[in-house]
Amino acid sequence: MGLSFLRRSIVLAIQLAIGVGLCPVPVEAQNPAEHRATLPARKNGKLRGQDLAQERIEASRIWFGGEASPAYLDAKARLSRQELERWSPQGGKVLQAAPSASATWTNLGPKANLISTSYPDIDSGRLNAIVTHPTNPSLLYIATATGGVFKCTNADLTSASDWTWTPITDSLPNSSSSGNIPVGAMAMSPTDPNTLYIGLGDFVDDTARGFYRSTDGGDTWTEATGIGAATRTTCILPLSASVVLWGTNDGLKRSTDGGQTFTTMNVGGTGNWAWSAIAFSPTEVAIVRSTLRTGYRFYFQSGGIYWSGDAGATWTLGSVTGLASFGRVSLAAASDGSTAWGLAEDASVTGSMAKGLLKTTDKGHTWTFVAAPTISGGLFQGIGNQMTGDGSQAGYNHAIAVHPSNANQVTVGANLALYRTDDGGLSWNQLTHWYGNRHVYAHADFHCTAWSQTSSPVLFVGNDGGLCILRNPAIAVASIPTGVSSVPSDITFIDNRRNKGLVSHQAYHLGSTTAATPSGAKNSITLGLQDNGTRVRQDMGSGLALSSTFEDQIGGDGFGTVIHPLDGNLMLGSYYYDAILKSTNGGITAFVSAATGITESGVSASAPFSTRLALGEADATGNTVYTFANTVVYKTVNFATSWTAMPMTGFLASYTIRQINAAKSDPNTVAVVTSSGSGFKTTNAGGAWTQFGAMPNNGLSMSYVWFDTSNAQIIYVSSVALSSTSNHLWKSTDGGTTWTALDGNPGFPFGIPVHVIKNDPSTPTTLLAGTDFGVYQSTNGGATWARYGQGLPMVSVRDLYIAADGSFVRVATYGRGVWELVTAAAVPSVALSPTTATVVHGGTQTFTPTVTSDT
């Protein structure tokens, strides 16, 4: 989500183990299998388990240059519609491409990680909503933080067979700030189970624009109007076939025509967020509003719970006793028509959950705080390693559910564990632990719940690791005795298997190789993921070659990663603040520290949040790799056995380095792009750095620099600025002195972020650009462009690897995992003009299709 939701750690033992500086070392909640408790991120019991989401969000804001405005997101959506109409002759279901219509992208996952009988747990990306069907228990919908909505039609809880997940929102325009389709909430009509509603914009990460309705189970979607300035969705509550409430960061929106048009409601004043909404009847509802705490991205204050007796037309502030100050509240209603519970952020203590629940028995008119007793294993007082601080990060982790037939049984999830009360909050029991210490495992960071609509209900829970199923909600759970470090899974109680095949991981970087050693090394992939570490698809007889199973080998957010170009046994991965690790056996066993010589490693004040690695393209041995701290470039000539700082003569220390690459044709030539929309180059291994010339129409937020593999005088630079009027891709043919913009040239949509740009080593004038709309190709050095390969969704491509022999291309996407295109023989290219588009603003329009050859 996920950068990912980091585990704050100030741990001397782990610092000594991995060789980083004495500073907070964030550690992520992974979903490990056989070695879940022995990953570097978890093996030391002194690690604490809370996220660093505030730091993660701030790092993202710095990278993109701020938060996207509604006007920018609207402009991006218009461009996305144009591209969908241009490249989707099948109504948006499959995106075509030129010049090679037969070259098709294949999704490689991760669709699973290694499991065993004792630890059969599988993860996916973060969930924001789960929707069950009222009459068909095998039909399930889930909404992900950046991967869109997925549908499962064989969600049989009694079957040992794998569930099948199908994405159903790939035809929607990409209007998000940095991802694919970030869905903040999803709901089903109470009168028609084929009618679905989704609101775009994650509540904490990617912003987006749009509210969509489907009347055919997600096959097609229609966009609503009247969305105001909403860029984040918090909840959706359909009350009838006509009345729909939509909670956003721009307040509460209300529709009286089934979600086709909305009006903004003034609930408690303007500038409020509308959070959780519940219904006691089709006309009696309650909703939470709060304001964002100054200086924070997801801590809230000035909360209020309002009730309405006329389906949301008018609102009255309810009374709350026992909790003086609260921010965000998540509500869950009982089935008796009058009782509800609220999980509340205690605004008097920044970032902490109130240790207890708010309760109403009069349909939300009055609320009373029911404090949880102070007892080990009670609510937010968990048992097991790293549980002392559970209940922190209170504006981010919220999950609450009331049993369908028992108003006194409430299940709560926040940071690191699930808890349950069976007596209306008088006592609490801990159900899980975030890596399986003294309780069964469930991934950390809980966000949403939904009950199966079956005779014996089970509870679906969404967290940062995807879908978790509490199969026996009423089971009595005893704590495992102290000293038991890893509790085997019990799928009759907690089932984490159903994420298999659900590809919603947010991938930042990938590593690949065409090395001849060992045999089949080109099948290996390293993948840096938000929220789910660094994964490896191993070769070397592991049984993972050519599979969609990736094993997690490094904790934390996965960032820069490379595989040795000549020896597939050698791999590098990383996490935050220049923490670099190495494998010498193709990722079969855990990676070990490889940051020796990088004095800034682990120091957040002087190292970048997102660690980046770049191969030394000119080194025939393949042992040269580059990385950087904020103002210093580091180089290794022994594949990270040790690192040496390069001279920075002439580099302006007021600039911060953002990306690096080295020329393939000259071992002494290296370039970086920096803050303030600039870049620097050295041609003598750092002895002197010279600043690039100005790039025209530069919106800053530089993202990538690349040397033409045959000519170091040709340089490409890209940007991810959140500006629809700025250029995002430039080319220099004189070593960086002067620049020409390439985006906006025929075939390339002007105004979209470009994350990566490379040329084909076998054909230097052939370029591939990874953008927020997928991959674009130019075969003439950037003069003209076309979408590359068919079948890749309109998703943000953060990294790409082009095989040295030209046989395949792989891309890391933010929200849909890693994809591969095996290059095919050239076929006549086809220019596709607009045809029928599934989604347009306010409805469906028809365009006259024509197909013409562009050869």
Side-chain angles (χ1 to χ4, degrees), residues 244-586:
V244 181
L245 304 182
W246 173 30
T248 78
N249 61 331
D250 186 42
L252 177 66
K253 315 289 181 182
R254 184 173 185 261
S255 172
T256 58
D257 57 9
Q260 298 180 69
T261 61
F262 282 89
T263 300
T264 300
M265 310 297 292
N266 186 350
V267 181
T270 60
N272 291 319
W273 288 54
W275 278 107
S276 181
I278 55 172
F280 299 97
S281 73
T283 58
E284 297 167 303
V285 295
I287 194 165
V288 178
R289 70 105 177 104
S290 62
T291 58
L292 190 63
R293 189 184 291 261
T294 302
Y296 293 91
R297 301 309 307 161
F298 61 79
Y299 293 143
F300 294 84
Q301 60 188 0
S302 305
I305 306 179
Y306 289 74
W307 60 270
S308 172
D310 53 13
T314 60
W315 295 89
T316 301
L317 178 64
S319 65
V320 178
T321 59
L323 187 62
S325 177
F326 57 92
R328 178 184 174 185
V329 179
S330 291
L331 304 178
S335 59
D336 61 9
S338 59
T339 303
W341 297 87
L343 176 64
E345 173 185 7
D346 185 350
S348 67
V349 184
T350 301
S352 292
M353 300 296 293
K355 289 185 173 64
L357 298 181
L358 293 170
K359 180 182 181 181
T360 181
T361 57
D362 60 3
K363 304 179 181 181
H365 294 215
T366 62
W367 297 80
T368 302
F369 184 67
V370 181
T374 302
I375 182 173
S376 180
L379 182 64
F380 309 137
Q381 301 161 82
I383 295 172
N385 289 344
Q386 308 170 31
M387 290 296 297
T388 303
D390 199 11
S392 61
Q393 198 172 279
Y396 175 66
N397 300 291
H398 275 244
I400 182 170
V402 183
H403 194 278
S405 60
N406 184 353
N408 286 317
Q409 186 184 110
V410 185
T411 302
V412 163
N415 223 27
L416 305 178
L418 289 169
Y419 303 84
R420 189 190 70 231
T421 179
D422 298 316
D423 53 16
L426 299 179
S427 63
W428 289 87
N429 291 306
Q430 180 183 344
L431 305 183
T432 65
H433 182 275
W434 71 287
Y435 67 78
N437 181 265
R438 299 188 66 191
H439 287 85
V440 294
Y441 164 79
H443 200 289
D445 306 318
F446 297 94
H447 302 287
C448 57
T449 63
W451 288 98
S452 68
Q453 301 189 47
T454 54
S455 57
S456 298
V458 304
L459 182 63
F460 297 104
V461 181
N463 54 39
D464 276 8
L467 182 64
C468 169
I469 304 173
L470 185 55
R471 293 177 62 98
N472 190 348
I475 192 172
V477 179
S479 174
I480 304 300
T482 302
V484 176
S485 60
S486 185
V487 179
S489 296
D490 179 0
I491 60 173
T492 67
F493 174 47
I494 295 286
D495 189 351
N496 296 300
R497 300 171 299 162
R498 302 307 185 176
N499 292 292
K500 186 175 183 180
L502 180 56
V503 186
S504 55
H505 285 101
Q506 298 155 313
Y508 290 117
H509 300 284
L510 62 83
S512 291
T513 186
T514 54
T517 303
S519 176
K522 71 176 183 179
N523 299 323
S524 296
I525 301 172
T526 55
L527 194 61
L529 301 174
Q530 174 182 331
D531 193 50
N532 286 288
T534 297
R535 302 293 173 91
V536 182
R537 185 176 82 169
Q538 306 154 344
D539 193 62
M540 296 187 64
S542 65
L544 301 188
L546 300 179
S547 78
S548 57
T549 297
F550 287 66
E551 179 63 321
D552 44 346
Q553 291 291 12
I554 302 176
D557 274 0
F559 291 128
T561 179
V562 294
I563 304 178
H564 197 286
L566 302 179
D567 184 354
N569 292 303
L570 302 179
M571 299 173 171
L572 298 181
S574 65
Y575 57 94
Y576 342 92
Y577 305 125
D578 283 346
I580 300 170
L581 298 95
K582 179 178 180 178
S583 171
T584 58
N585 62 3

Side-chain angles (χ1 to χ4, degrees), residues 66-90:
E67 184 160 314
S69 67
Y72 165 75
L73 297 175
D74 287 341
K76 189 175 182 182
R78 288 191 294 270
L79 281 173
S80 180
R81 290 186 189 94
Q82 292 173 11
E83 291 302 283
L84 284 168
E85 292 163 5
R86 182 184 182 197
W87 299 112
S88 54
Q90 298 179 31

Side-chain angles (χ1 to χ4, degrees), residues 681 692-693 695 706-708 711-717 730-742 765 767 780-782:
K681 183 183 75 169
F692 286 156
M695 298 159 203
W706 180 258
F707 290 96
D708 182 288
N711 183 353
Q713 289 296 105
I714 300 176
I715 308 174
Y716 300 92
V717 166
W730 300 268
K731 177 180 181 179
S732 175
T733 58
D734 56 11
T737 301
T738 61
W739 296 86
T740 301
L742 298 182
T765 57
L767 307 176
N780 51 18

Side-chain angles (χ1 to χ4, degrees), residues 603-622:
V603 183
S604 59
S606 54
F609 186 82
S610 175
T611 305
R612 297 174 187 270
L613 299 168
L615 290 169
E617 298 286 339
D619 182 3
T621 71

Side-chain angles (χ1 to χ4, degrees), residues 177-269:
S177 56
S178 61
N180 177 26
I181 305 295
V183 181
M186 181 179 188
M188 180 181 289
S189 169
T191 61
D192 177 12
N194 286 319
T195 297
L196 304 172
Y197 306 98
I198 60 173
L200 300 191
D202 182 64
F203 74 94
V204 66
D205 283 297
D206 296 340
T207 54
R209 297 280 278 165
F211 184 98
Y212 292 87
R213 180 186 65 162
S214 173
T215 58
D216 52 16
D219 286 344
T220 60
W221 299 89
T222 301
E223 187 175 8
T225 59
I227 66 174
T231 60
R232 300 184 186 277
T233 294
T234 53
C235 64
I236 300 173
L237 180 63
L239 297 175
S240 64
S242 56
V243 178
V244 181
L245 304 182
W246 173 30
T248 78
N249 61 331
D250 186 42
L252 177 66
K253 315 289 181 182
R254 184 173 185 261
S255 172
T256 58
D257 57 9
Q260 298 180 69
T261 61
F262 282 89
T263 300
T264 300
M265 310 297 292
N266 186 350
V267 181

